[in-house]
Amino acid sequence: MQNRSFWKEIWLLLICIFIGIGIMTTVLSFLPIGSDVVRMHVTQWLQTILVMLVPALFWYRMRFGKNPFRTFCLMTCRWKHLLLTLVLMVVSVPAMDMLTVFNYTMSMPEALRTLAMQMRTENIAAVSKLLSVGGIGGMVELVMLMAVATAIAEETLFRGALVKCFELTRLNRHWTAILVGMIFSIVHFDPLGFIPRWVLGTLFCYILFWTGTLWAPILAHATNNAVALAQYEMSAGEAGVENLLNQSKLTFSWPVIVASVVMSAIIILLMCRNKKL
């Protein structure tokens, strides 16, 4: 049962986000930006910083008057937690691929599938333009933007501020993880990838609860984005774009998928062995 404090803090967090959107829009209107690709990169950086990271940190500082970096457990971390998180994200790739195919092939109303395909086509076209940078410098900037900065900003907002909001309710951590993961997936506006992104968002919450530091889900998120970026780069060209649009076939064999599920379960058990949720 959600209480009044929860909704009050949610609205305050949304106001901070809307203010960030306003500042970003104002800044973009005054910047002398040339090509569409440059504008997309600048917009993505501003959105990451002004719409996600800064509003989350400002909201917490304003509401609780404490150092958000210390409260979100960004001051300390244990290398064992980070190592287990990294291994988990690597070995779970085939299992997540299975969920992606399941989500894509599951039955849904034709109107919803048509809308979802249109949204995915537009998203992939935008990502293609965003990734159309060349040279080593361009690739480094892409990794910093798409993997590092995005992971820090989104985790601070969702697993940081939003989880803190849900702590004001009577919900236990299991329901918090499920609901925050669902919201995380919804705001990505990709019905054909809703289930795997929901699972990832929920898993990131559990990683936070198990390790006690936001650095662990940040690392998990960054690893996932880096893998997706590498897969996109390897699938360049018309055939690669078609594969991204039509994800109805498994990339990995069933023995690899089963091994991925088993190994992921073992690592999860290791991570939560000493934790009581």
Side-chain angles (χ1 to χ4, degrees):
M1 180 75 72
Q2 289 144 352
N3 56 36
R4 302 175 83 182
S5 297
F6 168 80
W7 290 111
K8 177 182 177 181
E9 300 307 329
I10 286 291
W11 279 111
L12 286 172
L13 181 58
L14 285 174
I15 289 173
C16 292
I17 292 173
F18 287 134
I19 292 174
I21 293 174
I23 296 174
M24 180 188 73
T25 304
T26 302
V27 171
L28 285 173
S29 65
F30 285 100
L31 284 179
I33 302 175
S35 67
D36 291 340
V37 175
V38 174
R39 174 171 287 274
M40 288 188 68
H41 277 257
V42 173
T43 301
Q44 191 68 32
W45 274 108
L46 291 177
Q47 178 178 299
T48 300
I49 296 171
L50 297 179
V51 180
M52 291 186 288
L53 180 61
V54 172
L57 295 176
F58 180 77
W59 168 84
Y60 197 86
R61 182 74 180 189
M62 176 180 64
R63 297 309 300 162
F64 299 95
K66 298 178 181 178
N67 183 347
F69 292 97
R70 186 175 300 278
T71 304
F72 291 156
C73 301
L74 284 167
M75 305 297 285
T76 58
C77 61
R78 299 176 64 181
W79 68 267
K80 290 183 179 180
H81 289 156
L82 298 183
L83 179 60
L84 284 173
T85 298
L86 180 61
V87 174
L88 173 61
M89 296 312 300
V90 172
V91 302
S92 65
V93 170
M96 295 308 302
D97 177 69
M98 177 190 65
L99 284 179
T100 299
V101 173
F102 170 76
N103 193 164
Y104 186 90
T105 57
M106 66 184 297
S107 177
M108 64 178 65
E110 189 60 32
L112 177 58
R113 179 168 291 276
T114 301
L115 176 62
M117 282 300 298
Q118 180 181 351
M119 294 169 64
R120 171 162 288 197
T121 301
E122 293 174 355
N123 287 339
I124 290 177
V127 172
S128 297
K129 184 177 291 186
L130 189 66
L131 301 184
S132 61
V133 294
I136 297 178
M139 287 305 302
V140 170
E141 187 265 341
L142 270 178
V143 172
M144 292 299 297
L145 171 60
M146 304 298 289
V148 180
T150 299
I152 293 174
E154 290 190 357
E155 291 309 302
T156 303
L157 177 60
F158 289 97
R159 260 58 65 177
L162 193 57
V163 165
K164 288 296 180 184
C165 287
F166 273 95
E167 288 181 353
L168 299 173
T169 71
R170 297 179 182 177
L171 297 174
N172 60 33
R173 283 187 162 182
H174 297 294
W175 278 110
T176 295
I178 291 171
L179 292 176
V180 171
M182 180 185 295
I183 295 171
F184 173 74
S185 186
I186 289 173
V187 300
H188 280 79
F189 302 105
D190 181 19
L192 296 176
F194 178 82
I195 293 177
R197 195 171 282 111
W198 183 5
V199 171
L200 276 176
T202 303
L203 178 61
F204 293 161
C205 284
Y206 276 114
I207 290 175
L208 170 67
F209 299 151
W210 293 330
T211 64
T213 174
L214 198 60
W215 281 120
I218 287 174
L219 176 62
H221 198 146
T223 304
N224 177 76
N225 286 10
V227 170
L229 182 60
Q231 289 175 332
Y232 186 92
E233 289 293 333
M234 289 187 293
S235 63
E238 294 184 4
V241 172
E242 179 60 30
N243 290 335
L244 291 172
L245 289 172
N246 183 6
Q247 295 180 314
S248 58
K249 296 181 180 180
L250 292 172
T251 305
F252 302 90
S253 64
W254 277 108
V256 174
I257 293 174
V258 172
S260 172
V261 172
V262 172
M263 293 176 66
S264 298
I266 292 173
I267 296 172
I268 287 173
L269 287 175
L270 288 174
M271 295 183 73
C272 68
R273 181 176 56 183
N274 299 318
K275 294 291 181 181
K276 294 181 179 180
L277 301 181

